[in-house]
Short mmCIF file of all heavy atoms in Angstrom, two decimals:
data_model
loop_
_atom_site.label_atom_id
_atom_site.label_comp_id
_atom_site.label_asym_id
_atom_site.label_seq_id
_atom_site.Cartn_x
_atom_site.Cartn_y
_atom_site.Cartn_z
N ASP A 47 33.01 58.40 -44.91
CA ASP A 47 33.36 59.78 -44.58
C ASP A 47 33.79 60.52 -45.86
O ASP A 47 34.76 60.11 -46.51
CB ASP A 47 34.52 59.76 -43.56
CG ASP A 47 34.67 61.08 -42.84
OD1 ASP A 47 34.40 62.12 -43.46
OD2 ASP A 47 35.05 61.07 -41.67
N ASP A 48 33.09 61.57 -46.20
CA ASP A 48 33.42 62.41 -47.37
C ASP A 48 33.29 61.68 -48.72
O ASP A 48 33.87 62.12 -49.72
CB ASP A 48 34.86 62.99 -47.27
CG ASP A 48 35.08 63.90 -46.09
OD1 ASP A 48 34.15 64.09 -45.29
OD2 ASP A 48 36.20 64.43 -45.96
N THR A 86 28.95 68.63 -43.25
CA THR A 86 30.15 68.23 -42.51
C THR A 86 29.77 67.10 -41.56
O THR A 86 28.59 66.79 -41.36
CB THR A 86 30.79 69.37 -41.68
OG1 THR A 86 29.82 69.86 -40.77
CG2 THR A 86 31.31 70.49 -42.56
N CYS A 87 30.84 66.58 -40.96
CA CYS A 87 30.73 65.32 -40.24
C CYS A 87 29.95 65.37 -38.93
O CYS A 87 28.99 64.63 -38.70
CB CYS A 87 32.17 64.91 -40.01
SG CYS A 87 32.43 63.66 -38.88
N THR A 88 30.35 66.28 -38.03
CA THR A 88 29.78 66.27 -36.69
C THR A 88 28.25 66.46 -36.70
O THR A 88 27.53 65.66 -36.08
CB THR A 88 30.47 67.31 -35.78
OG1 THR A 88 31.88 67.00 -35.75
CG2 THR A 88 29.94 67.28 -34.37
N VAL A 108 31.87 71.08 -36.62
CA VAL A 108 33.04 70.19 -36.57
C VAL A 108 33.73 70.26 -35.21
O VAL A 108 34.21 71.32 -34.78
CB VAL A 108 34.04 70.55 -37.69
CG1 VAL A 108 35.35 69.80 -37.52
CG2 VAL A 108 33.44 70.27 -39.06
N LYS A 140 34.78 56.09 -36.58
CA LYS A 140 34.97 57.51 -36.23
C LYS A 140 33.79 58.05 -35.43
O LYS A 140 32.66 57.99 -35.89
CB LYS A 140 35.15 58.29 -37.53
CG LYS A 140 35.12 59.79 -37.37
CD LYS A 140 35.43 60.46 -38.71
CE LYS A 140 35.19 61.96 -38.65
NZ LYS A 140 35.52 62.61 -39.93
N HIS A 142 33.73 61.46 -33.43
CA HIS A 142 33.69 62.90 -33.76
C HIS A 142 32.48 63.64 -33.20
O HIS A 142 31.94 64.55 -33.84
CB HIS A 142 33.81 63.12 -35.28
CG HIS A 142 34.44 64.43 -35.62
ND1 HIS A 142 34.39 65.00 -36.88
CD2 HIS A 142 35.09 65.32 -34.83
CE1 HIS A 142 35.00 66.17 -36.85
NE2 HIS A 142 35.43 66.37 -35.63
N THR A 175 38.94 62.81 -35.63
CA THR A 175 39.07 62.52 -37.06
C THR A 175 40.51 62.05 -37.26
O THR A 175 41.34 62.25 -36.37
CB THR A 175 38.87 63.79 -37.92
OG1 THR A 175 39.91 64.72 -37.61
CG2 THR A 175 37.54 64.44 -37.68
N ASP A 177 42.61 63.40 -39.19
CA ASP A 177 43.50 64.55 -39.34
C ASP A 177 43.57 65.41 -38.07
O ASP A 177 44.27 66.42 -38.04
CB ASP A 177 43.11 65.41 -40.56
CG ASP A 177 41.72 66.02 -40.46
OD1 ASP A 177 40.92 65.57 -39.62
OD2 ASP A 177 41.43 66.95 -41.24
N ARG A 178 42.81 65.02 -37.05
CA ARG A 178 42.90 65.73 -35.76
C ARG A 178 43.57 64.82 -34.75
O ARG A 178 43.33 63.61 -34.75
CB ARG A 178 41.49 66.09 -35.25
CG ARG A 178 40.92 67.30 -35.94
CD ARG A 178 39.49 67.60 -35.55
NE ARG A 178 39.04 68.79 -36.28
CZ ARG A 178 38.79 68.80 -37.60
NH1 ARG A 178 38.89 67.71 -38.32
NH2 ARG A 178 38.44 69.93 -38.19
N HIS A 225 46.77 73.26 -46.48
CA HIS A 225 46.29 74.30 -45.58
C HIS A 225 45.88 73.65 -44.27
O HIS A 225 45.43 72.51 -44.24
CB HIS A 225 45.14 75.12 -46.19
CG HIS A 225 44.03 74.29 -46.75
ND1 HIS A 225 43.99 73.86 -48.06
CD2 HIS A 225 42.94 73.78 -46.17
CE1 HIS A 225 42.91 73.15 -48.25
NE2 HIS A 225 42.24 73.07 -47.12
N GLY A 226 46.06 74.42 -43.17
CA GLY A 226 45.82 73.84 -41.84
C GLY A 226 46.76 72.64 -41.65
O GLY A 226 47.81 72.57 -42.29
N HIS A 227 46.42 71.71 -40.79
CA HIS A 227 47.15 70.43 -40.69
C HIS A 227 48.65 70.57 -40.55
O HIS A 227 49.41 69.72 -41.06
CB HIS A 227 46.84 69.55 -41.92
CG HIS A 227 45.38 69.35 -42.15
ND1 HIS A 227 44.65 70.13 -43.01
CD2 HIS A 227 44.52 68.46 -41.63
CE1 HIS A 227 43.39 69.73 -43.00
NE2 HIS A 227 43.28 68.72 -42.17
N ILE A 238 45.92 68.44 -37.26
CA ILE A 238 45.29 69.59 -36.61
C ILE A 238 45.42 69.35 -35.11
O ILE A 238 44.96 68.33 -34.59
CB ILE A 238 43.80 69.68 -36.98
CG1 ILE A 238 43.61 69.89 -38.48
CG2 ILE A 238 43.12 70.79 -36.18
CD1 ILE A 238 42.15 69.80 -38.94
N HIS A 284 38.25 60.17 -45.60
CA HIS A 284 38.66 61.48 -45.08
C HIS A 284 40.19 61.65 -45.16
O HIS A 284 40.92 60.68 -45.09
CB HIS A 284 38.21 61.57 -43.61
CG HIS A 284 38.20 62.95 -43.06
ND1 HIS A 284 39.35 63.56 -42.61
CD2 HIS A 284 37.20 63.84 -42.89
CE1 HIS A 284 39.03 64.78 -42.18
NE2 HIS A 284 37.74 64.98 -42.34
N VAL A 285 40.63 62.90 -45.26
CA VAL A 285 42.08 63.19 -45.24
C VAL A 285 42.64 62.97 -43.84
O VAL A 285 41.90 63.14 -42.85
CB VAL A 285 42.38 64.64 -45.68
CG1 VAL A 285 41.94 64.85 -47.11
CG2 VAL A 285 41.78 65.67 -44.74
N ASP A 336 28.75 60.72 -44.78
CA ASP A 336 28.40 61.77 -43.81
C ASP A 336 28.31 63.17 -44.42
O ASP A 336 27.72 64.07 -43.84
CB ASP A 336 29.38 61.78 -42.62
CG ASP A 336 30.78 62.25 -43.02
OD1 ASP A 336 31.13 62.20 -44.21
OD2 ASP A 336 31.53 62.67 -42.12
N ASN A 337 28.92 63.36 -45.58
CA ASN A 337 28.80 64.64 -46.31
C ASN A 337 29.36 64.41 -47.70
O ASN A 337 29.95 63.37 -47.98
CB ASN A 337 29.53 65.79 -45.59
CG ASN A 337 30.97 65.48 -45.21
OD1 ASN A 337 31.28 65.33 -44.05
ND2 ASN A 337 31.84 65.37 -46.19
N ASP A 343 41.48 68.78 -49.23
CA ASP A 343 40.94 69.14 -47.91
C ASP A 343 42.08 69.36 -46.91
O ASP A 343 41.93 69.14 -45.72
CB ASP A 343 39.98 68.05 -47.41
CG ASP A 343 38.95 68.60 -46.42
OD1 ASP A 343 38.78 69.84 -46.35
OD2 ASP A 343 38.31 67.80 -45.71
N LYS A 366 31.17 68.92 -49.93
CA LYS A 366 31.39 69.16 -48.50
C LYS A 366 31.42 70.66 -48.21
O LYS A 366 31.99 71.42 -49.00
CB LYS A 366 32.72 68.51 -48.11
CG LYS A 366 33.07 68.59 -46.64
CD LYS A 366 34.33 67.77 -46.36
CE LYS A 366 34.67 67.81 -44.87
NZ LYS A 366 35.80 66.93 -44.54
N TYR A 367 30.86 71.12 -47.15
CA TYR A 367 30.84 72.50 -46.63
C TYR A 367 29.74 73.38 -47.23
O TYR A 367 29.55 74.49 -46.76
CB TYR A 367 32.18 73.22 -46.81
CG TYR A 367 33.38 72.49 -46.26
CD1 TYR A 367 34.43 72.08 -47.09
CD2 TYR A 367 33.49 72.21 -44.89
CE1 TYR A 367 35.53 71.41 -46.59
CE2 TYR A 367 34.60 71.54 -44.39
CZ TYR A 367 35.61 71.14 -45.24
OH TYR A 367 36.70 70.49 -44.75
C1 NG6 B 601 38.16 71.41 -41.50
C2 NG6 B 601 39.52 70.89 -41.94
C3 NG6 B 601 39.30 69.72 -42.86
C4 NG6 B 601 38.44 68.66 -42.18
C5 NG6 B 601 37.14 69.29 -41.72
C6 NG6 B 601 36.27 68.35 -40.95
C7 NG6 B 601 41.30 72.60 -42.14
C8 NG6 B 601 41.90 73.69 -42.98
N1 NG6 B 601 40.26 71.95 -42.66
O1 NG6 B 601 38.33 72.46 -40.60
O2 NG6 B 601 40.51 69.17 -43.26
O3 NG6 B 601 39.11 68.12 -41.10
O4 NG6 B 601 37.41 70.38 -40.86
O5 NG6 B 601 35.90 67.29 -41.74
O6 NG6 B 601 41.75 72.39 -41.05
S1 NG6 B 601 34.70 66.37 -41.31
O7 NG6 B 601 34.45 65.49 -42.42
O8 NG6 B 601 35.16 65.66 -40.13
O9 NG6 B 601 33.58 67.24 -41.04
#
Side-chain angles (χ1 to χ4, degrees):
D47 198 327
D48 298 3
T86 58
C87 167
T88 302
V108 171
K140 170 175 171 179
H142 208 195
T175 64
D177 62 345
R178 281 174 180 72
H225 50 269
H227 306 95
I238 298 172
H284 196 279
V285 297
D336 69 339
N337 51 250
D343 205 16
K366 184 173 182 175
Y367 306 118

